[in-house]
């Protein structure tokens, strides 16, 4: 099996599909060795992550327009030359072989010349002189987003954020504190050969340095619900102000259920809503595995419409709002290519409706948590300010913007509000 050909086919098929889902489909369809599976995934994800940089090199060096078939061949070749420990001759020869297998023999001369030119000049290919364009190309992030963050965060914090977006994201789990103690569970992980550490911000988080050859589902206590995979940022949002014992809580956008299970560790009863039945099913699986089935009631509910019968009924309401997810770029490379500037305003409009509707569930003295996994002022701070101005029976207790460049969490925002 030619792994590069398989990677090419996946890239050609990608379209609007999620890269992770497409890779999973291919790995289920083809029987590959562990080494080949990793190499295939690395090629596909790597080209998606670095596509802006790779296309810049191709378009800068090419004197003629490049069709999509040849472009994907070149993207794979350039990626191997830029990021992987692949000998120069192999990057060229494998690209030429790929052209043959794709019935593009007439393009071999062009592919050979362009790759060899790049290999000779890769340290001297001129980069854009404008700072915003340079940052976009060098870190392979869309120009509109670079410009947005420069205005929002300034140059130093923006470049740090872009650099963090190119790094491998951490693997973090949250223990089920109703069943296990963190120190005890860390000891169990060590006994199983897993290299792990206690997270610095979350009191129930554990960072995994090495799984020791195990799968997540093979870690101690997985079937018993002793932990769930969850970024530390999401844990912090609930721990900033968890429900009180005996509280009735509502999670209006609950899938995939990580925060719902966290809330259920404290609250006496939780109503978990989601607009998608299939996504609700994912949350239900996590709730069942974690042992909170008796506490949590599920329902398919459009958060923009809500359930009027629940007004003024809840002690605790979580709005983990649908958003542009720009804080998760390093986990979801597709975001670099399938988000546009206007998405932010569209999301903000929906969020305003969801937040207003969810706030009506909160009874006097109750808590309202608003959170997103994005890094935009319109979807975060501006959203909360607008809500508070129009709903003066709520007051802000705490808010925080978390950045992967400043704490190795996902980009995340949360605001804790209380109804007077």
């Amino acid at each position: 099996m030619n792994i590069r050909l398989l990677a090419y086919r996946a890239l050609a098929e990608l379209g609007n599909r999620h890269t992770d889902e497409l890779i999973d489909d291919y790995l289920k369809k083809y029987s590959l060795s562990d080494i080949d599976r990793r190499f295939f995934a690395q090629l596909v994800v790597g080209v998606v992550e670095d596509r802006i940089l790779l296309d810049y090199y191709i378009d800068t060096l090419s004197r003629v327009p490049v069709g999509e078939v040849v472009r994907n061949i070149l993207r794979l070749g350039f990626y191997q030359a830029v990021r992987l420990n692949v000998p120069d001759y192999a990057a060229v020869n494998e690209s030429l072989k790929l052209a043959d297998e794709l019935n593009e023999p007439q393009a071999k001369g062009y592919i050979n010349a362009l790759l060899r030119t790049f290999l000779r000049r890769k340290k001297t290919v001129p980069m854009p002189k404008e700072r915003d364009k340079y940052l976009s190309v060098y870190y392979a992030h869309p120009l509109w987003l670079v410009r947005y963050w420069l205005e929002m965060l300034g140059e130093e914090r923006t470049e740090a954020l872009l650099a963090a977006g190119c790094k491998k994201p951490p693997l973090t789990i949250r223990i089920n504190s109703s069943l296990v103690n963190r120190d005890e569970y860390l000891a169990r992980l060590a006994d199983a050969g897993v290299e792990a550490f206690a997270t610095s911000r979350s009191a129930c988080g554990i960072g995994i340095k090495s799984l020791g050859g195990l799968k997540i589902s093979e870690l101690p206590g997985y079937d018993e619900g002793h932990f769930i995979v969850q970024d530390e940022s999401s844990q912090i949002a609930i721990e900033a102000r968890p429900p009180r014992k005996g509280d009735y809580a509502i999670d209006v956008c609950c899938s995939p259920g990580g925060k719902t299970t966290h809330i259920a560790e404290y609250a006496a009863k939780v109503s978990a809503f989601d607009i998608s039945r299939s996504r609700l099913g994912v949350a239900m699986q996590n709730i069942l595995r974690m042992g909170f089935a008796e506490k949590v009631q599920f329902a398919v509910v459009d958060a923009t419409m809500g359930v009027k019968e629940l007004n003024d009924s809840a002690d605790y309401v979580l709005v983990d709002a649908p958003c542009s997810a720009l804080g998760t770029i390093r986990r979801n490379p597709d975001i670099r290519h399938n988000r546009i500037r206007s998405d932010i305003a569209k999301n903000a409009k929906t969020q305003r409706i969801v937040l207003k509707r969810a706030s009506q569930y909160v009874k006097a003295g109750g808590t309202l948590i608003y959170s997103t996994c994005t890094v935009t002022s319109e979807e975060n701070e501006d959203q909360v300010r607008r809500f508070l101005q129009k709903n003066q029976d709520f007051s802000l207790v705490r808010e925080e913007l978390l950045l992967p460049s400043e704490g190795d969490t996902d980009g995340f925002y949360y605001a804790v509000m209380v109804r007077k």
Side-chain angles (χ1 to χ4, degrees), residues 14 31 44 54 99 133 141 150 162 164 167 175 201 203 223 252 255 273 281 288 306 364 375 378 385:
L14 189 57
S31 179
V44 176
L54 301 175
K133 293 180 180 179
H141 280 62
L150 283 170
L162 294 170
K167 295 179 180 177
I175 61 164
R201 290 285 307 275
D223 291 333
V252 301
S255 183
F273 303 148
L288 288 170
V375 183
E378 288 103 315
R385 296 292 176 275

Side-chain angles (χ1 to χ4, degrees), residues 109 113 171 177 191 201 278 294 296 313 337 360 363 385 402:
L171 172 59
S177 298
D191 289 341
R201 290 285 307 275
S278 61
E294 294 184 0
V296 182
S313 68
H337 313 295
Q360 295 170 347
K363 64 185 183 183
R385 296 292 176 275
L402 300 159

Side-chain angles (χ1 to χ4, degrees), residues 265-323:
E265 289 186 26
Y266 300 94
K269 179 183 175 183
V270 183
S271 292
F273 303 148
D274 203 276
I275 193 172
S276 166
R277 188 172 297 277
S278 61
R279 285 174 56 83
L280 197 64
V282 175
M284 291 173 68
Q285 290 175 3
N286 282 319
I287 292 293
L288 288 170
R289 185 177 62 82
M290 299 284 280
F292 298 119
E294 294 184 0
K295 280 188 175 186
V296 182
Q297 296 179 333
F298 294 92
V300 176
V301 175
D302 181 345
T304 64
M305 301 298 292
V307 182
K308 292 182 179 179
E309 291 77 10
L310 294 177
N311 285 358
D312 301 310
S313 68
D315 304 287
Y316 191 94
V317 174
L318 171 65
V319 180
D320 189 37
C323 68

Side-chain angles (χ1 to χ4, degrees), residues 321-336:
C323 68
S324 56
L326 296 171
T328 66
I329 281 179
R330 59 183 179 175
R331 297 187 190 277
N332 304 290
D334 308 273
I335 290 173
R336 301 182 190 220

Side-chain angles (χ1 to χ4, degrees), residues 124-292:
T124 59
V125 176
M127 295 292 280
K129 294 181 180 179
E130 300 91 339
R131 187 60 177 167
D132 55 353
K133 293 180 180 179
Y134 170 84
L135 292 173
S136 172
V137 170
Y138 185 81
Y139 293 107
H141 280 62
L143 181 59
W144 73 264
L145 181 57
V146 171
R147 287 172 172 169
Y148 182 95
W149 281 343
L150 283 170
E151 184 176 349
M152 175 183 170
L153 300 170
E155 185 172 331
E156 184 176 348
R157 294 182 79 196
T158 294
E159 184 163 12
L161 182 56
L162 294 170
C166 298
K167 295 179 180 177
K168 183 179 179 180
L171 172 59
T172 311
I173 63 175
R174 194 196 82 244
I175 61 164
N176 184 346
S177 298
S178 67
L179 297 177
V180 292
N181 172 277
R182 182 165 70 169
D183 290 339
E184 292 174 354
Y185 191 72
L186 279 166
R188 290 171 63 191
L189 288 176
D191 289 341
V194 176
E195 189 177 354
F197 60 93
T199 53
S200 59
R201 290 285 307 275
S202 171
C204 52
I206 292 176
I208 307 292
K209 288 184 177 180
S210 170
L211 286 167
L214 299 177
K215 299 177 181 178
I216 291 292
S217 59
E218 295 172 337
L219 293 180
Y222 176 83
D223 291 333
E224 294 78 16
H226 290 180
F227 72 91
I228 189 170
V229 176
Q230 186 181 40
D231 188 72
E232 188 179 10
S233 60
S234 297
Q235 301 176 33
I236 292 169
I238 301 301
E239 289 188 358
R241 192 181 179 101
R244 298 162 297 188
K245 185 178 180 180
D247 274 358
Y248 168 50
I250 298 176
D251 185 349
V252 301
C253 304
C254 73
S255 183
K259 297 181 190 68
T260 316
T261 61
H262 204 169
I263 291 170
E265 289 186 26
Y266 300 94
K269 179 183 175 183
V270 183
S271 292
F273 303 148
D274 203 276
I275 193 172
S276 166
R277 188 172 297 277
S278 61
R279 285 174 56 83
L280 197 64
V282 175
M284 291 173 68
Q285 290 175 3
N286 282 319
I287 292 293
L288 288 170
R289 185 177 62 82
M290 299 284 280
F292 298 119

Side-chain angles (χ1 to χ4, degrees), residues 14 16 18 21 39 76 89 105 125 149 186 188 190 207 245 262 271 305 338 347 355 359 389 394 407-408:
L14 189 57
N16 291 324
H18 288 290
E21 293 177 0
F39 186 46
L76 284 164
Y89 72 86
V125 176
W149 281 343
L186 279 166
R188 290 171 63 191
K245 185 178 180 180
H262 204 169
S271 292
M305 301 298 292
N338 62 17
N347 288 325
L355 181 56
S359 71
Q389 287 173 1
F394 282 86
D408 204 23

